[in-house]
Amino acid sequence: MKLVIKTAIALGLSAALIGCNQQQSDEPDSTEVEAEADAADAADAGEASDAPTEPVAFDIAEITCWDFSTTEDEEQGYAATLLYGYAAGAAGTSAQTSDGIEQAIVSAVEFCVENPDAMALDAFKSDAG
């Protein structure tokens, strides 16, 4: 008999807790409200950015070391990530380390500075595979 009573009490408490949980989930908590505000701020900031309004088309195989090494720092970071990822994918290399990626990018930048007429993708191919 005690087992039946304990089971009934446990079921009752479980139902009560589930009911409380459902009521609380209907009301947004402060972190949800903050996340929505942050998303709205990010959307507003994105509208004011210098991002191109038209799609940009390019052939990754035609980017020269001169093009790569003379771009602005932030854009060079994006280009380095794109070139490294493309070269690693083409080589079939899926396992990566942050130190390995950093060293490959540094090596490719040094190569491009010394060989401005070379193709930037070639600078990444030797280190990405």
Side-chain angles (χ1 to χ4, degrees):
M1 184 69 169
K2 288 183 180 182
L3 181 61
V4 172
I5 294 172
K6 288 181 181 179
T7 304
I9 291 172
L11 289 174
L13 287 173
S14 296
L17 289 172
I18 289 171
C20 289
N21 227 8
Q22 287 177 346
Q23 285 179 342
Q24 289 177 348
S25 67
D26 292 341
E27 300 173 11
D29 64 4
S30 62
T31 56
E32 289 175 357
V33 172
E34 290 171 6
E36 289 175 8
D38 290 345
D41 290 344
D44 290 342
E47 292 173 4
S49 73
D50 293 333
T53 57
E54 297 295 321
V56 177
F58 62 92
D59 184 345
I60 197 167
E62 294 180 7
I63 299 172
T64 66
C65 277
W66 173 257
D67 296 332
F68 173 69
S69 61
T70 59
T71 59
E72 304 244 351
D73 287 343
E74 185 174 312
E75 291 173 4
Q76 190 178 54
Y78 292 127
T81 303
L82 176 70
L83 288 160
Y84 179 83
Y86 183 89
T93 307
S94 60
Q96 304 291 326
T97 66
S98 58
D99 290 341
I101 294 170
E102 183 179 354
Q103 181 55 44
I105 291 173
V106 167
S107 177
V109 169
E110 289 171 354
F111 174 87
C112 280
V113 168
E114 294 171 10
N115 303 285
D117 293 330
M119 302 313 292
L121 190 53
D122 292 339
F124 285 87
K125 281 183 180 177
S126 61
D127 289 314

